[in-house]
Amino acid sequence: MSRLIGEPLPRVDAPLKVTGRATYAAEHRLPDLAHAVIISAAVGKGRILEIDSRRALGEPGVLAVISHLNTARLPYRPHKGWIDPTVGERLHVLQDDFVRHWGQPVAVVVAETLEQAEHASHLVGIRYEAEAPSFTVPDGESIEPQGGYPANYSRGDADQALATAEHRVDCTYLIPRENHNPIEPHATIAQWDGQRLTVWDKTQFPTNVAEELAAVFGLERANVHLICPFVGGAFGTSLRTWPHTTLAALAARHVGRPVKLVLTRKQMYFGTGYRPETWQRVRLGAHSTGELTALKHEGIAETSRYEHYIEGLLNAPRFMYSCPHVTTSYRLVPQDVHTPTYMRAPGAASGMFALECAMDELAHELRIDPVELRLRNEPKIDESRNVPFSSRSLVQCLRTGAERIRWHRRRAEPGALREGHWLVGLGVASATYHTLRNTASARVRLRPDGTAVIETAAADMGPGTYTSLTQIACDELGLPPEKVQVVIGDSNLPRVPPHGGSQTLSSVGSAVLAACLAARSARQERAHSGAIAGSEIVATETSQPGDATKRYSMHAFGAVFAEVMVDVDLGIVRLAHMVGVYAAGRIVNPRLAHSQAIGGMVGGVGMALLEETHIDRRDGRITNANLAEYLVPTNADIPVFDAVFLDEHDPHVNPLGVKGIGELSYVGVAAAIANAVFNATGKRIRDLPITLEKLL
Ligand code: MOS
């Protein structure tokens, strides 16, 4: 039978999705279900003086108004999942009268119907003693982040090298806060049976939700069951377990019935994390021939006062280009906000925007073509660790992309290409994202009827986990796709890492591969021993990375080319074309990979041109917490994109040779567009998004 890995198999779950039979968190039906609505704090900082529930409780159907005044203190045992900040403590909900950020849940109304709960929530009278919250990025008191990524890195002497450099650029870049806007909102249904808790919750990390709820409520882990077979987009917002999940369980226990709690689009801007606002200063020194002599990259990001959210903002600058003198420093400014979180290509999307714009500024200063400048700084090894790359195909990505966008049309002088009242510009940026792999387990059941079931606590928020795991299993077991069933999204299944950081296929795929191999040899043994094939063969395997991560630097690379048109009079920016060329190891499914890449590129367009969460700095209110005013790209904003995957063989990253695509395809897009806008207009916009006001 021909192999399925590498084939554009259509999504195996597509029929369920297009016929509406795929059940998302809020869609599970339970008898006697009550509905909960969160009341969000209407001050940005302060104390709750009074909660008057009398009117609300008098309304038809209302079952309870739950707040710190009438709930027991929850155990909130220490628990930190893979995705929780190492420093600080998660928000404890309804445990005291403190308001730490605008929109913090301060009460929950439970009623027979959603409409009754919603109506009653407006009748609860809450009085606050308000204080002025402070928002001080980048100038406020900053701290050195602890744990995870190093706050400071240096090799050589960047300051000295900058002082003596033939050419220098020194630029500061601002990226506003951005919010994830998946189509499916966060939702939880919670049901108690004595000390046992079952939750249907939207998550990218099923086992972690069960562990977190066990810790919050002081339950045995085995007594909490999380079910989440489908996720309607997430981009990182469903990695951590947020307060609303606890609130749903709390409300269900309070009223003694199963409870459903769905966040409104507005509430999704308050309680569930976001990409932090960042300030970055990049200084580059170079010879007139283009070789970098110095790189100094500083970054400052917002975090909450109760947790230090850190991300790999300044990881790429350390290994991206060859440079003898490099310093990076990363700082956090705690302010009166809720904790930021991972949002697609966390760290890399922001950090590479600054680095790749600075490279373009240097190219302009040196009068060297921006593609050529990157080629001249291609390193032979990862100079930050003195180890080789497991594979690195950036040069091929740049060359292929330049050809496909017809880069030769580009004029070095900004504003030189014009079509009618449109200025035309071309821009390029490199992309990279580290190849993650973590310990994962999977179980394979070979049934007597010749079918197989693959079980693992993974999730599928859109990349096609169901399908890619099916392909891997089919190839190993020698079965057609219709004989293999993949079961995921359940905390009782074998444990895997979070469905984020583009590591699902590298981690879970490797575990599925191992379990299939084990099942196959068990089947052979059984055949040899002449035993009657009457019962199921079950094989569970755990797969973990070896020491290759110590010997090699593992990253996926790409190059993004953007062609923009800017209206001479109005400053409107239109994308004419974009080419993304990616080298991400083996491509298990080109159809899914293409879809992932296009999605990432569209997300990057949002970052470049549209997305910005507005905070009213007087009181912390988010003024555009809706899809009418928080702009994301729509079909009309997006031309046909060209997403290309180079053939890349990497024997070191994991047994499948895959590197991950989801994050990679987001990186570099904003810089490529900003660089194209400069090429079109001569205007260098260093604060995102690039709006027409900034261009006029
Ligand atoms: Mo993503 S930020 O890896 O869910």
Side-chain angles (χ1 to χ4, degrees):
M1 203 171 68
S2 65
R3 288 175 68 79
L4 279 180
I5 290 182
E7 291 301 311
L9 188 70
R11 289 172 192 265
V12 296
D13 51 337
L16 288 179
K17 286 184 171 169
V18 298
T19 57
R21 284 176 291 152
T23 19
Y24 293 83
E27 296 180 323
H28 292 274
R29 288 161 198 254
L30 293 177
D32 210 26
L33 187 67
H35 297 263
V37 166
I38 290 175
I39 300 179
S40 308
V43 298
K45 185 179 183 179
R47 277 172 176 266
I48 302 164
L49 297 179
E50 186 193 352
I51 297 182
D52 182 352
S53 309
R54 284 168 298 179
R55 277 185 69 198
L57 288 169
E59 290 295 305
V62 176
L63 301 168
V65 177
I66 308 167
S67 70
H68 70 285
L69 298 175
N70 62 350
T71 41
R73 299 290 80 93
L74 294 170
Y76 270 105
R77 283 189 205 142
H79 169 253
K80 285 191 189 292
W82 200 86
I83 28 65
D84 295 310
T86 47
V87 175
E89 174 61 20
R90 71 262 215 234
L91 195 71
H92 293 193
V93 276
L94 310 192
Q95 301 293 295
D96 58 40
D97 59 354
F98 277 100
V99 175
R100 288 159 185 82
H101 67 86
W102 182 277
Q104 174 189 310
V106 290
V108 175
V109 180
V110 191
E112 295 289 344
T113 70
L114 176 61
E115 291 75 12
Q116 289 167 338
E118 179 69 37
H119 171 65
S121 73
H122 296 290
L123 303 177
V124 177
I126 305 185
R127 282 199 308 120
Y128 301 91
E129 183 180 68
E131 292 171 48
S134 70
F135 306 96
T136 54
V137 167
D139 303 315
E141 201 174 318
S142 67
I143 50 168
E144 268 190 32
Q146 307 294 321
Y149 305 105
N152 301 305
Y153 166 81
S154 102
R155 66 174 178 264
D157 185 340
D159 285 321
Q160 169 68 22
L162 276 169
T164 57
E166 274 178 76
H167 294 271
R168 273 184 294 271
V169 294
D170 179 350
C171 313
T172 298
Y173 303 93
L174 297 168
I175 302 174
R177 182 189 292 193
E178 294 167 5
N179 277 84
H180 321 67
N181 270 290
I183 291 175
E184 184 198 13
H186 289 273
T188 309
I189 295 173
Q191 181 177 42
W192 291 84
D193 175 10
Q195 285 300 299
R196 301 179 78 86
L197 172 62
T198 305
V199 284
W200 292 262
D201 180 47
K202 177 188 180 179
T203 182
Q204 294 168 246
F205 198 2
T207 50
N208 189 60
V209 178
E211 280 158 22
E212 171 74 1
L213 289 174
V216 170
F217 287 92
L219 304 169
E220 296 283 327
R221 161 65 181 82
N223 283 348
V224 184
H225 186 192
L226 176 287
I227 301 164
C228 179
F230 295 100
V231 181
F235 317 115
T237 189
S238 295
L239 284 165
R240 294 192 74 188
T241 308
W242 300 111
H244 65 273
T245 304
T246 294
L247 290 172
L250 186 65
R253 197 169 72 175
H254 194 99
V255 300
R257 288 169 60 173
V259 163
K260 181 198 288 196
L261 196 165
V262 182
L263 293 193
T264 62
R265 181 62 55 179
K266 184 174 177 180
Q267 287 169 339
M268 287 176 62
Y269 287 76
F270 301 148
T272 57
Y274 49 88
R275 189 192 301 283
E277 178 182 350
T278 51
W279 172 99
Q280 297 179 73
R281 182 176 179 192
V282 182
R283 277 171 276 187
L284 301 176
H287 293 304
S288 52
T289 44
E291 292 81 10
L292 287 171
T293 54
L295 190 166
K296 186 167 184 179
H297 193 153
E298 298 160 87
I300 298 175
E302 65 178 322
T303 190
S304 66
R305 293 203 189 280
Y306 54 91
E307 284 175 316
H308 296 174
Y309 167 72
I310 58 176
E311 59 186 18
L313 182 70
L314 305 180
N315 287 10
R318 297 176 197 142
F319 64 81
M320 200 64 203
Y321 300 113
S322 182
C323 182
H325 302 285
V326 178
T327 294
T328 67
S329 81
Y330 178 39
R331 294 292 181 273
L332 298 177
V333 174
Q335 39 185 29
D336 296 309
V337 297
H338 60 295
T339 310
T341 197
Y342 305 100
M343 181 166 157
R344 201 160 182 178
S350 306
M352 285 291 280
F353 168 70
L355 179 65
E356 291 302 299
C357 285
M359 285 295 280
D360 202 69
E361 306 211 25
L362 181 65
H364 185 69
E365 160 82 22
L366 298 173
R367 307 273 170 235
I368 294 177
D369 178 273
V371 173
E372 179 59 30
L373 180 68
R374 287 169 174 84
L375 297 179
R376 286 188 195 173
N377 286 287
E378 174 69 9
K380 294 203 164 53
I381 60 166
D382 178 338
E383 295 176 3
S384 71
R385 294 178 50 205
N386 281 316
V387 294
F389 291 99
S390 61
S391 58
R392 170 171 166 133
S393 312
L394 177 62
V395 168
Q396 295 90 319
C397 291
L398 285 163
R399 292 215 163 106
T400 307
E403 204 169 291
R404 290 185 87 118
I405 196 121
R406 297 186 294 126
W407 186 250
H408 60 85
R409 292 175 297 151
R410 181 180 181 275
R411 306 276 274 277
E413 207 46 50
L417 274 185
R418 188 167 170 158
E419 285 172 22
H421 64 108
W422 296 99
L423 293 166
V424 180
L426 290 158
V428 63
S430 303
T432 188
Y433 198 78
H434 56 299
T435 302
L436 275 174
R437 180 186 171 200
N438 282 286
T439 303
S441 303
R443 184 163 57 222
V444 175
R445 300 176 185 281
L446 297 182
R447 291 180 161 155
D449 66 0
T451 63
V453 182
I454 312 298
E455 297 172 323
T456 177
D460 185 353
M461 63 172 149
T465 310
Y466 276 107
T467 310
S468 50
L469 295 185
T470 300
Q471 290 173 268
I472 292 163
C474 286
D475 280 4
E476 283 313 309
L477 300 173
L479 293 173
E482 55 278 9
K483 296 214 164 174
V484 171
Q485 188 195 0
V486 170
V487 181
I488 59 173
D490 186 314
S491 63
N492 290 348
L493 297 175
R495 201 181 154 75
V496 301
H499 180 48
S502 300
Q503 67 178 311
T504 297
L505 209 45
S506 80
S507 311
V508 186
S510 300
V512 168
L513 192 69
C516 288
L517 281 169
R520 238 176 48 192
S521 50
R523 186 171 60 189
Q524 268 165 10
E525 248 171 63
R526 186 184 275 187
H528 281 299
S529 69
I532 316 269
S535 62
E536 203 173 70
I537 290 171
V538 183
T540 306
E541 286 293 315
T542 296
S543 169
Q544 55 191 26
D547 67 349
T549 48
K550 294 199 189 81
R551 287 181 285 121
Y552 295 98
S553 178
M554 300 176 176
H555 308 268
F557 291 89
V560 188
F561 290 78
E563 178 177 348
V564 302
M565 298 165 66
V566 183
D567 189 294
V568 176
D569 301 316
L570 304 175
I572 295 167
V573 179
R574 289 214 192 290
L575 258 184
H577 192 36
M578 192 148 65
V579 177
V581 184
Y582 304 104
R586 177 189 279 180
I587 299 305
V588 168
N589 185 319
R591 185 195 299 255
L592 294 174
H594 184 261
S595 162
Q596 272 278 80
I598 298 293
M601 289 160 83
V602 171
V605 172
M607 181 180 212
L609 300 175
L610 299 166
E611 297 190 47
E612 176 169 22
T613 305
H614 291 283
I615 299 155
D616 186 327
R617 288 170 192 256
R618 292 169 304 179
D619 60 7
R621 182 192 308 255
I622 294 169
T623 57
N624 63 339
N626 58 71
L627 284 174
E629 292 161 292
Y630 182 100
L631 303 179
V632 295
T634 62
N635 285 345
D637 300 309
I638 304 296
V640 172
F641 286 164
D642 189 10
V644 186
F645 289 91
L646 299 184
D647 224 11
E648 187 179 57
H649 176 68
D650 190 322
H652 307 295
V653 275
N654 48 61
L656 288 161
V658 298
K659 285 185 169 181
I661 301 161
E663 324 289 340
L664 176 68
S665 55
Y666 200 107
V667 181
V669 175
I673 292 173
N675 295 342
V677 167
F678 175 75
N679 183 242
T681 64
K683 288 192 177 132
R684 180 65 72 176
I685 308 300
R686 301 187 181 92
D687 55 327
L688 294 177
I690 302 167
T691 53
L692 55 89
E693 305 91 286
K694 294 174 188 170
L695 284 169
L696 284 176

